[in-house]
Every structure is written in C-alpha cells, then in structure tokens.
Amino acid sequence: MSRSAGYAYAIGYGNELRSDDGIGPRVARALQLSNVKSIAVHQLTPELAQALANSDLAVFIDACLASENSQVQVQSLLPNSSNVIAGHTVDPRSLLALTQAIYGYCPPAWWVTIPGENFELGENLSPLAEQGIEIAIDQINHLIKTARKELCMKLAKSRKFPAAD
C-alpha cells in the first residue's frame, strides 16, 4: 500500500450534541491547511486505520475536562496495543496499533486535547472551549508545518547523494 505523499490527517472527534464535547469535530472542520485531510467524526472507529495507513502524519483532536487540564495540550503518540478495542470505539493509541498490525505502518501522531467545562446536552460551546479552539488551531498549524519540515529533512538525510567533485 502506498501512502499519499505529503498528506496529514486531522481527526477531530466528539459528540457535537453534548456542548463542549463537540470541540474536536469543530476544530477539524476549521483547519485550513493544504495537504491536510480533516475528518470530523463522532468517535474513532477501526475503519479509520486505512486512512492513517495512507498518511505521513496524524493529529487526533478531542475535548478534555477542564478539571483534568486547563490548557490545550499537545502530546506525541505511539501505538499501544494494550488498550483494548471495546466494540466499535477506539482511542488514538489503539487505533495506531491497529493500523500498524494491519498495514505494517502507522504515521507519526499527536493528540491535541482542548479543555471544556460544559458536557451537557446542547450545541453551544463554553467561552473556555471557544478560546481553546483558537489556540488549538494555531498549535495544530504549527505542529503540522514543523512535522513536515522534519519529515523532509529525514527523507533528505536517508537518500545518499554523491559528493560534489
């Protein structure tokens, strides 16, 4: 299977009918970067493994409780097959492990979590969530640009060029 050269996937997930839980899909739809395929989904599912296998990098975007973390967080992810796939719902690390197991490859990945405080039924976001979305979009744009530069540098170093005479 060949990867789409230069493509990143931004996967925002969450329930948009539960107020701040819809942060992930809203961020994914707001991203405006070339060569970034943004996907807004209710939950991560095993079917996303094929998209990940065809990408050079992946960013997962989700809400978190403000009581757990009051700042937008960006962390790198590695596949983790010890996280059990429960039914049709998976977390980012187990989805990466599934991608690795099926396709023999998983892209470098990051998990962006944005704090929210209202997870009740509704479609309106809290001021904290609105602020976090703006911060997350900036951080994701920077992350993807930086990651692409690093990928290009690694590719250039891995290719052997003859020395100039």
Side-chain angles (χ1 to χ4, degrees):
M1 171 168 284
S2 65
R3 292 190 300 282
S4 302
Y7 272 100
Y9 273 87
I11 304 172
Y13 59 101
N15 185 345
E16 292 183 89
L17 298 176
R18 296 199 60 91
S19 302
D20 290 354
D21 195 41
I23 291 171
R26 289 184 191 214
V27 170
R29 282 194 294 275
L31 289 173
Q32 301 290 323
L33 286 171
S34 62
N35 292 337
V36 175
K37 294 182 180 183
S38 294
I39 303 171
V41 295
H42 182 75
Q43 61 189 10
L44 298 177
T45 59
E47 291 82 4
L48 292 169
Q50 183 177 12
L52 293 173
N54 288 308
S55 67
D56 287 330
L57 57 108
V59 178
F60 296 91
I61 310 152
D62 193 17
C64 68
L65 291 172
S67 61
E68 293 175 7
N69 209 333
S70 62
Q71 302 291 319
V72 173
Q73 298 291 309
V74 178
Q75 64 182 12
S76 62
L77 289 175
L78 295 173
N80 183 349
S81 58
S82 67
N83 293 341
V84 177
I85 296 176
H88 204 68
T89 305
V90 298
D91 85 345
R93 291 172 291 234
S94 60
L95 184 56
L96 291 170
L98 179 65
T99 303
Q100 178 70 44
I102 293 172
Y103 298 100
Y105 166 83
C106 79
W110 292 268
W111 197 356
V112 177
T113 53
I114 303 141
E117 54 195 3
N118 177 14
F119 291 81
E120 300 295 321
L121 288 175
E123 296 180 31
N124 295 324
L125 297 177
S126 69
L128 178 66
E130 292 282 0
Q131 179 184 16
I133 286 174
E134 295 302 318
I135 293 168
I137 290 170
D138 288 343
Q139 289 186 357
I140 292 167
N141 286 334
H142 178 74
L143 171 72
I144 289 174
K145 288 175 185 174
T146 302
R148 283 185 174 154
K149 285 180 186 176
E150 289 174 6
L151 278 171
C152 288
M153 289 173 54
K154 284 182 183 178
L155 284 173
K157 286 182 181 179
S158 69
R159 295 187 177 149
K160 298 189 192 279
F161 294 102
D165 291 329

